[in-house]
């Protein structure tokens, strides 16, 4: 019994999700939205890995997804803490306001 | 075993390197401690190696130094009983001398340089002792030569000392040329520099070639061991500090020549002619030097000539085919000669650098330690019956006497002559310098020396007096050293002379020595000690048969004249005419060319070009600078752009594959 | 077209759509809610692709913990939707959309050029098998990752503290 879903379609789906997340990170000005874009990218990677794991019938892909999720969680925690810290320091979450790297 | 031998070589080298690199920032005691510990460690390593070796030969390879085709210089070691005994002697005597030096050089500010060179010297000597590959030996050979130069001229601010160092180096270099030629021949005929290989394959060569090789090696050994005709550097080398004289010019470097001949003995003995020449050189030198020593007034110069004479005995032993006797005498000599030098060092320091024996006197009362030590050394050197040097010298004379061939009987006579003179000159110095004299030194003139300097020498004195036990010709422990060396190719533990001959020899030697000592007593103890005039026969002996004078006339003066001629006539004139005139001729067109280059090329092309390039760069950088907004969002967009480009490039390359 | 394929394409559309919406909302709160929906879709996709355990984890960790954390932060910091004229907003989006579309095109080209394409088999990894596999082969990484979480915890605590 077959699924009739070609593997390439899953990869396209994952790619689409990934570039949506990348666009979000690149285009938005709010720091929170930038972080959300990163989350979307990580999730897309997870989709691709699970599909690969199914295609090659090996569980390594799924194991990697667990680690990705863990790392994403850790990264979100620290990232949001940083955002809170920045908000307290500068009063704004606008990415354009952070210009210290100029020059 | 490999570790032990590695430690043996590496410890002195390490000591030298540590002191050289870090010594300036270490306290004085630390520097001295490192140097002494390095050599003491090497001594322990030598003892362990000797025990572990168990009388067998060991061949070990440490490092492949360099290799070009067939030409291979590897740091290989051939540790056989010969090397074992030599290494132990070298490290033992070096250790005592290092400890003595700590006290001797206590007022010198240049101690760091001293100890570095001393350690380096021990390393180089141990390389010569243990090395199998002849290039490795050559490394050690040059190393001892260099350290000897550096240490003889240690107090280089006095021109005479620096000259002495140079003289030593040049004389030994003349010998080293022969070594280099021999190395070349070894490569051509053996394609291998290994001593073991050469020794075992020597029988395949033609007799002429063997003789040539042996004579070349003899010439090399002559340079290092200060035998005729290259003896002139050793008396002058006494300009160095006394411990240096004790180590380098009594116990180790001067014996390196003999040692090399002993290592390559299986090769050398294939040529009876070479053996004859070696024995002849040894015998003649020993008599020559004994005569010269008789006339010296400087205590160190006497000991230097005495060294030349005793090393002559070692050469005589090799020439007579008895390397056991040669090594035995080498070890004995190391003990008693360094003892004599170091005791003399105590005297010299106590009398504020007085070397002339005729200005000493009454030292028995004033310096009792030095008195007894010097006496022990003198007894050993004179080959007093049953003490120290008696057995070794006796064995050599026996070997020479029983060797077939008339020439050897003549050599024996020369050797006996030297044996007669040795106690004579030794006790001449002893009786002039030490006993109580009305015109001797008084207590106030004695500078304080450390008592440590005296009591560190007692082990050496015991060894000097008792080392006859190493190789007694009969009775308990008979030929102990001989049997230990039995596995060394060419060694004969037993000379095979009849018992009657041995006894006759021994009694004759004893009688000679006693007669000589009695004569010395009557000549020098009974009569007041007056400094003799250096004229006539006495003057000839004093100057070493005018050898220095001869070399100066034959070699040095013409060379200096030639150099002066070349400098003033050829060089100066060349400068004037050729160089200056030529420069003038080239001047005019060069000027024109320079003007053209300046105006056309330099200003137009180069300067303008540079300016325009700079302008364009500024424009570009301004354009790029537009993008460095410092804004986070901009950078994120740039990241995405980069990612896209990268991705596209990867896809492209993948697609094209 | 069987049930499996139909479900897959439906879920794919839902996920893509809700992600697109989430990404384009001006109000952060709206964006987060849409994103939660997207993660639900992803979780169901995981289930379909034979990883039931991961599906559960996706809901628990991503939708449950991470998004809730986002909500907390947004509410704590009282983030208001940014007042920006539409023109400016669109101008920001232009480079991102262009680049994204370009990359997606390249990706699709690569995928469909690679030749033989398999249909996904029907399989599922039970949590037991998966757990055994994970702790057998990747036990070391699990340890490291747990350490990483500790580090993140400390970091977040430190960064978020109130400076008196």
């Amino acid at each position: 019994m077959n699924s009739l879903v070609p593997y390439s379609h899953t990869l396209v789906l994952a790619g689409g999700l990934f570039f949506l997340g990348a666009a979000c990170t690149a285009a938005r000005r709010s720091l929170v939205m930038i972080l959300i874009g990163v989350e979307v990218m990580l999730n897309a990677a997870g989709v691709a890995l699970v599909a690969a794991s199914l295609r090659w019938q090996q569980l390594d892909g799924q194991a990697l997804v667990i680690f990705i999720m863990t790392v994403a969680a850790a990264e979100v925690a620290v990232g949001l803490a940083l955002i809170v810290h920045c908000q307290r320091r500068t009063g704004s979450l606008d990415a354009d306001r952070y210009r210290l790297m100029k020059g | 075993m490999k570790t032990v031998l590695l430690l043996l070589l590496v410890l002195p080298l390490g000591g030298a390197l540590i002191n050289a690199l870090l010594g300036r920032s270490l306290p004085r005691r630390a520097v001295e401690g490192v140097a002494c510990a390095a050599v003491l460690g090497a001594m322990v390593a030598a003892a362990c190696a000797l025990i572990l070796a168990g009388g067998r030969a060991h061949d070990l390879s440490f490092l492949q130094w360099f290799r070009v085709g067939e030409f291979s210089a590897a740091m290989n070691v051939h540790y056989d009983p010969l090397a074992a005994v030599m290494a132990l002697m070298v490290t033992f005597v070096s250790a005592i001398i290092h400890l003595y030096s700590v006290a001797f050089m206590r007022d010198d500010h240049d101690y760091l340089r001293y100890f570095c060179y001393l350690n380096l010297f021990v390393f180089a000597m141990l390389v010569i002792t243990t090395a199998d590959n002849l290039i490795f030996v050559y490394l050690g050979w040059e190393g001892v030569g260099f350290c000897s130069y550096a240490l003889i001229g240690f107090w280089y601010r006095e021109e005479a000392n620096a000259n002495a160092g140079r003289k030593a180096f040049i004389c030994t270099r003349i010998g080293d040329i022969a070594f280099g030629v021999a190395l070349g021949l070894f490569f051509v005929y053996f394609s291998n520099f290994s001593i073991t290989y050469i020794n075992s394959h020597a029988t395949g060569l033609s007799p002429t070639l063997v003789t040539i090789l042996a004579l070349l090696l003899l010439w090399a050994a002559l340079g290092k061991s200060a035998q005729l005709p290259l003896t002139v550097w050793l008396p002058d080398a006494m300009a160095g500090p006394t411990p240096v004289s004790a180590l380098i010019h009594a116990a180790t470097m001067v014996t390196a020549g003999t040692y090399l001949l002993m290592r390559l003995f299986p090769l050398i003995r294939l040529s009876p002619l070479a053996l004859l020449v070696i024995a002849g050189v040894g015998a003649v030198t020993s008599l020559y030097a004994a005569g010269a020593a008789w006339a010296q007034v400087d205590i160190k110069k006497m000991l230097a000539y005495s060294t030349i004479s005793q090393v002559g005995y070692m050469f005589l032993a090799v020439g007579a085919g008895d390397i056991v006797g040669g090594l035995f005498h080498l070890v004995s000599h190391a003990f008693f000669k360094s003892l004599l030098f170091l005791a003399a060092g105590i005297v010299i320091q106590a009398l504020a650098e007085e070397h002339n024996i005729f200005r000493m006197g009454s030292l028995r009362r004033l310096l009792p330690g030095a008195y007894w030590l010097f006496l022990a050394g003198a007894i050993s050197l004179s080959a007093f019956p049953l003490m120290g040097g008696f057995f070794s010298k006796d064995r050599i004379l026996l070997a020479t006497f029983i060797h077939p061939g008339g020439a050897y009987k003549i050599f024996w006579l020369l050797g006996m002559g030297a044996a007669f003179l040795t106690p004579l000159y030794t006790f001449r110095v002893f009786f002039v310098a030490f006993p109580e004299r009305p015109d001797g030194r008084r207590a106030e003139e004695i500078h304080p020396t450390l008592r440590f300097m005296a009591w560190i020498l007692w082990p050496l004195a015991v060894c000097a007096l008792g080392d006859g036990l190493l190789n007694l010709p009969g009775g308990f422990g008979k030929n102990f050293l001989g049997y230990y060396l039995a596995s060394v190719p060419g060694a004969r533990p037993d000379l095979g002379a009849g018992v009657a001959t041995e006894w006759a020899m021994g009694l004759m030697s004893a009688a000679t020595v006693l007669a000589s000592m009695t004569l010395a007593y009557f000549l020098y103890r009974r009569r007041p000690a007056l400094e003799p005039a250096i004229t006539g026969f006495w003057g000839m002996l004093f100057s070493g048969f005018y050898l220095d004078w001869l070399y100066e006339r034959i070699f040095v003066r013409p060379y200096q004249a030639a150099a002066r001629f070349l400098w003033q006539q050829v060089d100066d004139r060349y400068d004037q005419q050729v160089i200056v005139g030529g420069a003038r001729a080239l001047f005019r067109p060069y000027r024109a060319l320079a003007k053209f280059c300046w105006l056309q090329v330099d200003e137009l092309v180069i300067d303008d070009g540079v300016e325009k390039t700079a302008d364009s760069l500024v424009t570009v950088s301004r354009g790029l600078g537009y993008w460095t907004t410092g804004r986070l969002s901009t950078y994120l967009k740039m990241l995405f752009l980069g990612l896209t480009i990268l991705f596209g490039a990867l896809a492209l390359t993948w697609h094209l594959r | 077209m069987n049930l499996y394929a139909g479900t897959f394409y439906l879920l794919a559309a839902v996920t893509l759509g809700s992600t697109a919406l989430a990404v384009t909302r001006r109000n952060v709160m709206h964006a987060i809610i849409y994103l939660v929906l997207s993660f639900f879709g992803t979780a169901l996709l995981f289930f379909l692709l034979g990883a039931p355990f991961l599906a559960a984890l996706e809901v628990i960790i991503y939708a449950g913990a991470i998004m809730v954390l986002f909500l907390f932060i947004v509410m704590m910091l009282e983030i208001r939707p940014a007042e920006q004229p539409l023109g400016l907003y669109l101008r920001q989006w232009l480079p991102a959309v262009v680049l994204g579309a370009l990359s997606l095109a390249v990706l699709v080209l690569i995928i469909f050029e690679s030749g033989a394409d398999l249909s996904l088999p029907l399989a599922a990894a039970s949590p037991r098998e998966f757990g055994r596999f994970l702790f057998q082969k990747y036990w070391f990484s699990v340890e490291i990752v747990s350490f990483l979480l500790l580090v993140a915890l400390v970091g977040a605590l430190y960064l978020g503290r109130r400076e008196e």
Side-chain angles (χ1 to χ4, degrees):
Chain A
M1 210 345 224
N2 222 340
S3 63
L4 293 182
V5 176
Y7 175 56
S8 52
H9 290 196
T10 52
L11 286 183
V12 171
L13 166 67
L17 283 173
F18 182 85
F19 289 118
L20 274 172
C24 176
T25 309
R28 299 298 298 257
R29 267 168 57 164
S30 168
L31 288 182
V32 175
M33 285 311 291
I34 293 177
L35 208 52
I36 280 179
V38 175
E39 288 311 303
V40 170
M41 284 196 274
L42 285 165
N43 188 49
V47 169
L49 277 164
V50 170
S53 165
L54 179 63
R55 187 236 181 275
W56 270 282
Q57 296 287 295
Q58 285 179 335
L59 284 177
D60 299 72
Q62 294 192 6
L64 198 49
V65 171
I66 287 238
F67 296 130
I68 289 180
M69 279 190 202
T70 322
V71 171
E75 168 242 339
V76 158
V78 174
L80 284 173
L82 262 174
I83 287 179
V84 166
H85 184 83
C86 290
Q87 163 80 334
R88 288 207 187 115
R89 289 263 286 196
T90 57
S92 152
L93 282 178
D94 190 346
D96 278 353
R97 291 280 167 97
Y98 294 91
R99 296 190 194 208
L100 287 174
M101 284 198 285
K102 179 167 175 62
Chain B
M1 186 67 191
K2 188 161 180 171
T3 331
V4 173
L5 284 175
L6 189 65
L7 275 178
L8 177 71
L9 288 175
V10 162
L11 277 173
L13 180 66
L17 279 175
I18 291 176
N19 274 336
L21 296 171
L22 303 175
R24 245 173 247 295
S25 32
L26 290 173
R28 180 173 182 140
R29 276 282 177 249
V31 167
E32 292 166 353
V34 165
C36 292
V39 179
L40 281 166
M43 179 174 88
V44 169
C48 289
L50 190 130
I51 296 171
L52 284 172
R56 292 186 322 274
H58 293 256
D59 282 292
L60 295 160
S61 177
F62 285 132
L63 193 64
Q64 180 72 288
W65 191 6
F66 57 88
R67 194 190 177 92
V68 178
E70 288 245 312
F71 184 97
S72 159
M75 297 189 172
N76 292 340
V77 156
H78 177 66
Y79 189 78
D80 61 357
L82 185 66
V85 173
M86 186 78 175
L88 188 58
M89 181 278 283
V90 166
T91 50
F92 173 65
V93 174
S94 303
I96 293 190
I97 291 178
H98 272 77
L99 290 168
Y100 178 92
S101 297
V102 170
F104 188 84
M105 302 292 278
R106 64 191 180 282
D107 289 327
D108 200 306
H109 294 292
D110 273 329
Y111 64 92
L112 183 61
R113 188 160 52 98
Y114 179 84
F115 279 107
C116 281
Y117 281 131
L118 214 59
N119 263 14
L120 196 62
F121 175 85
V122 173
F123 166 71
M125 190 66 207
L126 287 171
V127 165
I128 296 180
T129 307
T130 52
D132 184 38
N133 185 300
L134 277 174
I135 307 258
F136 197 27
V137 172
Y138 197 61
L139 171 77
W141 197 260
E142 293 303 309
V144 294
F146 167 69
C147 291
S148 167
Y149 157 76
L151 286 167
I152 292 174
F154 184 71
W155 290 311
Y156 59 89
R157 292 185 178 89
E158 302 279 322
E159 189 175 346
N161 298 342
N163 285 342
R166 248 197 310 258
K167 184 171 178 179
F169 194 72
I170 292 176
C171 283
T172 50
R173 218 65 191 100
I174 296 176
D176 295 346
I177 299 173
F179 199 147
V181 173
L183 281 176
L185 284 173
F186 277 126
F187 183 62
V188 167
Y189 285 101
F190 290 99
S191 303
N192 194 325
F193 287 112
S194 161
I195 291 182
T196 39
Y197 183 86
I198 289 171
N199 281 344
S200 47
H201 287 80
T203 47
L205 299 179
S206 71
T208 336
L209 184 63
V210 170
T211 311
I212 292 176
L213 280 171
L215 288 176
L216 283 171
L217 288 169
L218 171 65
W219 187 260
L222 285 188
K224 269 289 182 295
S225 297
Q227 300 293 290
L228 283 174
L230 296 172
T231 58
V232 290
W233 64 270
L234 193 52
D236 283 3
M238 296 298 115
T242 310
V244 166
S245 306
L247 181 61
I248 300 185
H249 308 123
T252 45
M253 185 172 109
V254 293
T255 56
T258 329
Y259 183 75
L260 181 72
L261 292 178
M262 286 193 232
R263 282 284 250 192
L264 286 166
F265 189 68
L267 172 69
I268 293 174
R269 71 175 163 178
L270 294 172
S271 164
L273 176 66
L275 286 180
L276 189 76
V277 175
I278 293 175
V281 165
V284 172
T285 308
S286 72
L287 185 61
Y288 157 82
W294 191 22
Q296 297 303 312
V297 299
D298 180 329
I299 191 170
K300 283 181 74 174
K301 285 217 163 64
M302 180 279 278
L303 290 173
Y305 275 111
S306 174
T307 305
I308 298 176
S309 175
Q310 298 300 308
V311 175
Y313 271 112
M314 298 177 213
F315 273 69
L316 183 59
V318 172
D322 182 21
I323 56 179
V324 172
L327 186 68
F328 185 22
H329 197 61
L330 201 155
V331 171
S332 302
H333 176 260
F335 291 143
F336 60 66
K337 193 47 69 60
S338 47
L339 174 66
L340 283 168
F341 264 112
L342 295 177
I346 299 179
V347 168
I348 291 173
Q349 252 197 2
L351 298 178
E353 302 301 320
E354 179 59 71
H355 289 218
N356 191 329
I357 52 174
F358 291 99
R359 297 196 204 115
M360 300 179 190
S362 308
L363 290 177
R364 174 178 179 165
R365 175 174 46 91
L366 298 168
L367 291 172
Y371 171 78
W372 287 107
L373 290 165
F374 197 88
L375 183 60
I379 287 179
S380 207
L381 170 57
S382 316
F384 193 85
L386 302 182
M387 292 287 174
F390 175 72
F391 292 107
S392 51
K393 192 180 284 188
D394 189 49
R395 184 176 162 124
I396 295 178
L397 290 169
L398 181 64
T400 315
F401 189 74
I402 65 173
H403 199 280
Y408 283 87
K409 304 291 184 290
I410 300 178
F411 297 153
W412 175 79
L413 271 174
L414 295 175
M416 286 301 281
F420 180 77
L421 285 175
T422 307
L424 192 60
Y425 65 68
T426 315
F427 279 95
R428 167 176 176 263
V429 169
F430 180 75
F431 285 134
V432 167
F434 285 93
E436 199 65 34
R437 282 202 274 136
D439 54 342
R441 291 283 177 155
R442 295 183 303 276
E444 313 79 74
E445 296 173 58
I446 302 289
H447 292 238
T449 55
L450 296 185
R451 274 198 305 171
F452 173 75
M453 282 160 73
W455 73 253
I456 192 73
L457 298 180
W458 277 105
L460 212 51
V462 168
C463 287
L465 288 174
D467 86 333
L469 294 170
L470 270 180
N471 200 46
L472 292 171
F476 179 71
K478 178 176 152 107
N479 289 335
F480 176 72
L481 184 66
Y483 284 113
Y484 181 70
L485 291 174
S487 63
V488 175
R492 288 185 289 157
D494 214 327
L495 283 175
V499 174
T501 324
E502 279 192 34
W503 273 101
M505 272 290 122
L507 285 172
M508 225 181 332
S509 302
T512 316
V513 169
L514 289 171
S516 181
M517 281 175 66
T518 324
L519 183 61
Y521 181 77
F522 281 113
L523 282 178
Y524 302 112
R525 180 77 179 91
R526 280 309 186 94
R527 302 185 335 193
L530 293 168
E531 188 160 347
I534 314 291
T535 50
F537 174 74
W538 218 238
M540 184 173 74
L541 286 181
F542 179 80
S543 66
F545 292 84
Y546 299 119
L547 202 55
D548 256 327
W549 180 90
L550 192 71
Y551 285 157
E552 163 133 23
R553 290 280 181 296
I554 297 181
F555 296 115
V556 178
R557 293 240 180 115
Y559 178 78
Q560 282 178 336
R564 199 172 302 126
F565 173 73
L566 284 173
W567 171 40
Q568 282 171 343
Q569 305 300 325
V570 178
D571 202 30
D572 270 0
R573 203 167 285 171
Y574 178 74
D575 279 347
Q576 279 302 315
Q577 289 176 350
V578 177
I579 293 181
V580 175
R584 283 216 185 93
L586 286 172
F587 194 53
R588 210 159 287 141
Y590 177 76
R591 210 162 168 210
L593 182 67
K595 196 165 181 186
F596 169 75
C597 282
W598 170 42
L599 285 175
Q600 308 302 327
V601 179
D602 200 27
E603 292 213 338
L604 278 183
V605 177
I606 297 179
D607 280 351
D608 279 352
V610 168
E611 271 179 37
K612 291 211 173 57
T613 317
D615 283 339
S616 58
L617 279 175
V618 168
T619 320
V620 168
S621 75
R622 261 202 210 113
L624 284 176
Y626 177 72
W627 291 105
T628 62
T629 56
R631 296 209 304 236
L632 187 64
S633 49
T634 317
Y635 289 150
L636 285 168
K637 290 191 182 70
M638 290 300 112
L639 266 173
F640 196 14
L641 176 65
L643 176 68
T644 311
I645 293 175
L646 203 67
F647 196 42
L650 277 171
L652 202 66
T653 52
W654 189 75
H655 173 69
L656 288 174
R657 199 160 16 105
Chain C
M1 182 67 86
N2 55 13
L3 183 61
Y4 186 92
T7 323
F8 175 83
Y9 288 117
L10 182 64
L11 280 172
V14 165
T15 311
L16 273 171
S18 56
T19 311
L21 282 171
V23 156
T24 51
R25 295 304 97 198
R26 288 218 218 184
N27 190 333
V28 182
M29 201 64 99
H30 294 178
I32 291 177
I33 301 297
Y34 277 118
L35 202 56
V36 171
L37 182 60
S38 157
F39 286 152
F40 270 121
T42 310
L44 286 168
L45 269 173
F46 279 174
F47 188 82
L48 216 57
L49 291 173
F53 183 61
L54 281 176
L57 276 184
E58 172 91 7
V59 172
I60 296 171
I61 297 177
Y62 258 106
I66 293 178
M67 286 300 118
V68 169
L69 187 59
F70 265 105
L71 276 174
F72 279 165
I73 298 296
V74 167
M75 286 194 285
M76 181 171 100
L77 296 178
E78 293 178 349
I79 298 177
R80 306 256 150 67
E83 284 97 28
Q84 240 183 342
L86 189 65
L88 208 64
Y89 187 66
L90 285 178
R91 233 187 70 185
Q92 267 172 264
W93 270 99
L94 187 63
V97 166
V98 165
L99 291 172
L102 211 62
S103 312
L104 192 60
V106 171
L107 181 70
V108 165
L109 271 167
I110 296 179
I111 292 174
F112 284 102
E113 206 173 359
S114 52
D117 198 2
L118 269 177
S119 283
L120 293 169
L122 285 172
S126 74
R128 170 175 297 197
E129 282 168 36
F130 178 63
R132 185 166 289 157
F133 174 80
L134 181 69
F135 280 94
Q136 207 164 21
K137 192 167 175 190
Y138 292 105
W139 63 271
F140 192 53
S141 311
V142 171
E143 301 302 322
I144 294 179
V145 135
S146 58
F147 193 67
L148 176 71
L149 284 172
L150 175 67
V151 170
L153 175 67
V154 171
L157 271 173
Y158 180 77
L159 282 168
R161 75 191 191 292
R162 265 195 199 287
E163 302 182 49
E164 300 296 337

